[in-house]
């Protein structure tokens, strides 16, 4: 009953509703970023419908047979009947300057070209992975950041472990699956980096505001001398924590759920849910995404949402502790911003010669900077296999202990 009353205080805050509507609108705008490619991406849906998403010898034979029909169709579109084209891209190259085709014929040619890209890339995937030199990439990373001594050795060690995972990935065939060609469309970046980072910071603002406002409500409305007079009254601070946790879950569900609904209604992932997240077509740079575990896209989505929720609980815990001592929403917000800035900037201020630089990255503010690399071995400073689990575990225990101590302190302190 008391928690319900605390939740009503949150529900009656117009700024919360205003921010939720604003953030949802902003996220939908970000979602629309790749709609220009929707027609091009439809080629993938047809491929998955016809061949499934797994690339194996049987699939390649089928695609190759159909590709011969595609090439014949391309030559049928060509104006110069005396010239034979082996690939759609050759005709596109010829028509760069002067294009005699109609809009419909041009769309057909582009679709043939995307078919060609999927076909030729599928045949080359094994060769691409065999040429990935993780030891060389480690040396490049070390030179790029100017790492020395112990820090450089740690990077080499972690890339050696990633190399073992790469061998396992190739043995499993995780890399050989059809997916959006993200060298062109960058859908992983759109979903997990642009939208993911937006979620995390938007929710952080909402959670800090909600937690600080509900925890400090009695002080800011001058009812503390009534509410906290008795021993049982002091327990109200625990109810406020419960209300903050429920509200944190609710706003996360609304913002993430609303945005994902808009995203997946806009982009068709039919037939792609069980594609491994480490599939080559998901790559956006010469170093493909390499997850530490064999995860499907759907499983990765599940961990992604879980990590968003856990990170928001950590931010709620921090705000709650700050609120107990500062007793003012504005001061809590300001203090929290200082912590965010410190957590992000501090790792960049230590010398890149010892493992201290990696240890300082084990904080929730650094963790939320690159959500598209969660569970991946692609981030040089967060390349550890259990980076996310260790960060969440350490901070959850730390904040729980400080919260218990703070509540104990609050129950005994003089309020006047």
């Amino acid at each position: 009953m008391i928690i319900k009353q605390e939740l009503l205080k949150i529900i009656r805050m117009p700024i919360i509703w205003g921010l939720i509507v604003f953030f949802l609108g902003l996220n939908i705008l970000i979602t629309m970023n790749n709609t220009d490619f929707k027609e091009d991406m439809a080629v993938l849906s047809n491929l998955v419908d016809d061949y499934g998403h797994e690339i194996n010898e049987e699939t390649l034979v089928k695609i190759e047979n159909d590709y011969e029909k595609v090439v014949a169709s391309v030559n049928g579109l060509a104006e110069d009947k005396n010239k034979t084209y082996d690939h759609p891209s050759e005709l596109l190259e010829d028509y760069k300057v002067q294009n005699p085709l109609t809009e419909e014929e041009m769309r057909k040619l582009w679709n043939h070209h995307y078919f060609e890209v999927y076909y030729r890339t599928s045949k080359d995937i094994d060769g691409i992975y065999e040429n990935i030199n993780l030891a060389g990439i480690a040396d490049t990373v070390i030179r790029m950041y100017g790492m020395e001594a112990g820090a450089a050795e740690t990077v080499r060690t972690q890339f050696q472990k990633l190399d073992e995972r790469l061998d396992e990935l190739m043995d499993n065939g995780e890399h050989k699956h059809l997916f959006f060609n993200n060298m062109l469309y960058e859908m992983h970046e759109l979903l997990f980096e642009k939208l993911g980072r937006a979620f995390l910071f938007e929710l952080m603002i909402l959670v800090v505001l909600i937690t600080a406002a509900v925890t400090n409500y009695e002080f800011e409305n001058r009812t503390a001398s009534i509410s906290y007079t008795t021993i049982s009254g002091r327990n109200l601070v625990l109810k406020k924590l419960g209300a903050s946790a429920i509200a944190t879950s609710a706003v996360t569900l609304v913002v993430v759920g609303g945005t994902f609904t808009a995203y997946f209604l806009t982009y068709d992932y039919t037939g792609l849910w069980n594609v491994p997240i480490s599939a080559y077509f998901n790559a956006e740079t010469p170093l493909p995404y390499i997850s530490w575990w064999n995860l499907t896209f759907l499983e990765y989505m599940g961990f992604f949402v879980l990590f968003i929720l856990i990170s928001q609980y950590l931010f709620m815990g921090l705000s709650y502790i700050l609120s107990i001592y500062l007793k003012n929403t504005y001061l809590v917000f300001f203090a929290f911003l200082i912590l965010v800035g410190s957590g992000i900037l501090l790792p960049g201020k230590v010398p890149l010669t010892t493992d201290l630089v990696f240890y300082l990255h084990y904080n929730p503010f650094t963790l939320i900077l690159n959500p598209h690399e969660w569970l991946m071995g692609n981030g040089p400073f967060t390349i550890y296999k259990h980076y996310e689990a260790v960060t969440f575990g350490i901070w959850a225990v730390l904040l729980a202990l400080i919260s218990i101590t703070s509540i104990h302190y609050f129950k005994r302190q003089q309020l006047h």
Side-chain angles (χ1 to χ4, degrees):
M1 187 63 184
I2 295 177
I3 289 182
K4 182 181 175 182
Q5 293 302 319
E6 296 301 319
L7 285 171
L8 286 174
K9 292 173 184 172
I10 298 169
I11 292 170
R12 289 171 185 146
M13 292 170 64
I15 190 171
I16 300 300
W17 293 106
L19 284 173
I20 288 175
V21 171
F22 174 73
F23 290 149
L24 280 173
L26 183 64
N27 294 345
I28 290 172
L29 281 179
I30 297 173
T31 296
M32 298 296 138
N33 194 49
N34 278 8
T35 49
D36 289 345
F37 300 119
K38 277 188 70 177
E39 282 192 52
D40 302 339
M41 289 190 286
V43 172
L44 172 66
S45 299
N46 296 331
L47 285 171
V48 173
D49 285 344
D50 292 341
Y51 313 110
H53 57 72
E54 186 176 353
I55 302 170
N56 50 39
E57 291 300 323
E58 184 183 353
T59 308
L60 284 175
V61 170
K62 288 180 183 176
I63 295 177
E64 186 167 9
N65 290 336
D66 288 344
Y67 186 64
E68 290 175 5
K69 298 173 189 172
V70 166
V71 173
S73 175
V74 166
N75 281 295
L77 289 172
E79 189 177 44
D80 183 358
K81 301 302 179 188
N82 295 318
K83 186 174 179 180
T84 301
Y85 293 91
D86 294 327
H87 302 291
S89 54
E90 294 175 359
L91 185 58
L92 274 174
E93 185 68 22
D94 275 5
Y95 288 174
K96 261 185 179 176
V97 179
Q98 190 171 7
N99 174 21
L101 301 182
T102 64
E103 188 175 336
E104 185 181 346
E105 289 172 329
M106 202 61 198
R107 166 49 49 196
K108 191 175 179 182
L109 179 57
W110 272 109
N111 286 344
H112 289 335
H113 169 64
Y114 295 126
F115 188 102
E116 172 195 349
V117 172
Y118 278 110
Y119 165 61
R120 296 175 73 174
T121 306
S122 296
K123 290 203 307 179
D124 295 340
I125 289 177
D126 279 332
I128 293 170
Y129 275 72
E130 284 165 7
N131 287 321
I132 293 175
N133 179 3
L134 287 179
I137 293 173
D139 289 336
T140 302
V141 168
I142 289 167
R143 283 196 301 275
M144 183 187 302
Y145 291 99
M147 294 178 179
E148 298 177 358
E153 192 54 38
T154 296
V155 169
R156 289 194 184 93
T157 302
Q158 292 305 313
F159 269 93
Q160 283 173 4
K161 293 179 181 176
L162 191 64
D163 204 19
E164 295 171 9
R165 167 61 185 143
L166 181 63
D167 290 339
E168 178 189 313
L169 181 154
M170 292 171 67
D171 290 340
N172 293 342
E174 292 172 47
H175 56 321
K176 295 177 71 173
H177 290 261
L178 292 172
F179 199 68
F180 293 115
N181 184 359
N182 283 338
M183 287 288 187
L184 295 175
Y185 311 129
E186 299 182 336
M187 297 299 285
H188 186 91
E189 178 186 310
L190 174 63
L191 178 57
F192 295 112
E193 184 180 8
K194 292 179 180 175
L195 274 175
R197 198 178 286 159
F199 283 152
L200 287 157
F201 281 92
E202 290 165 359
L203 288 169
M204 178 197 287
I205 293 170
L206 283 167
V207 167
V208 173
L209 191 58
I210 287 170
T211 307
V214 76
T215 309
N216 295 312
Y217 184 90
E218 311 306 328
F219 293 101
E220 293 175 342
N221 287 276
R222 300 181 180 178
T223 55
S225 58
I226 301 172
S227 302
Y228 296 135
T229 304
T230 63
I231 294 175
S232 59
R234 292 291 177 106
N235 286 329
L236 180 60
V237 74
L238 282 171
K239 308 296 183 185
K240 291 179 179 295
L241 181 61
S244 298
I246 294 171
T248 295
S249 304
V251 294
T252 301
L253 180 67
V254 170
V255 174
V256 175
T259 307
F260 277 169
T261 300
Y263 181 89
F264 289 110
L265 286 175
T266 304
Y267 303 105
D268 184 8
Y269 277 69
T270 305
L272 302 176
W273 298 103
N274 292 317
V275 172
I277 199 70
S278 300
Y280 174 68
F281 281 107
N282 195 33
E284 295 169 339
T285 65
L287 175 62
Y289 287 112
I290 303 173
S291 64
W292 285 109
W293 294 271
N294 182 2
L295 299 172
T296 64
F297 175 79
L298 184 60
E299 290 169 337
Y300 192 81
M301 281 283 299
F303 279 108
F304 187 73
V305 174
L306 178 65
F307 288 176
I308 289 175
L309 191 58
I310 294 174
S311 62
Q312 298 312 316
Y313 284 139
L314 295 183
F315 299 144
M316 180 199 74
L318 266 174
S319 313
Y320 182 72
I321 293 166
L322 289 172
S323 297
I324 286 180
Y325 292 100
L326 298 177
K327 299 181 176 61
N328 180 286
T329 300
Y330 295 108
L331 287 179
V332 170
F333 213 85
F334 184 68
F336 191 89
L337 285 179
I338 292 175
L339 289 175
V340 173
S342 302
I344 292 173
L345 296 176
L346 193 59
K349 300 297 180 185
V350 299
L352 297 174
T353 54
T354 69
D355 285 349
L356 179 62
V357 66
F358 301 104
Y359 299 150
L360 289 176
H361 277 79
Y362 282 91
N363 75 72
F365 310 115
T366 302
L367 185 143
I368 65 171
L369 288 182
N370 295 300
H372 61 300
E373 293 178 347
W374 284 348
L375 303 173
M376 304 278 189
N378 294 65
F381 293 100
T382 58
I383 195 173
Y384 295 90
K385 185 174 182 178
H386 299 101
Y387 167 72
E388 293 83 9
V390 172
T391 304
F392 286 139
I394 290 173
W395 279 79
V397 171
L398 185 67
L399 290 175
L401 291 174
I402 298 176
S403 294
I404 292 169
T405 306
S406 301
I407 291 168
H408 186 71
Y409 161 79
F410 176 80
K411 287 182 177 180
R412 293 174 178 275
Q413 73 175 156
Q414 294 290 330
L415 299 180
H416 302 287

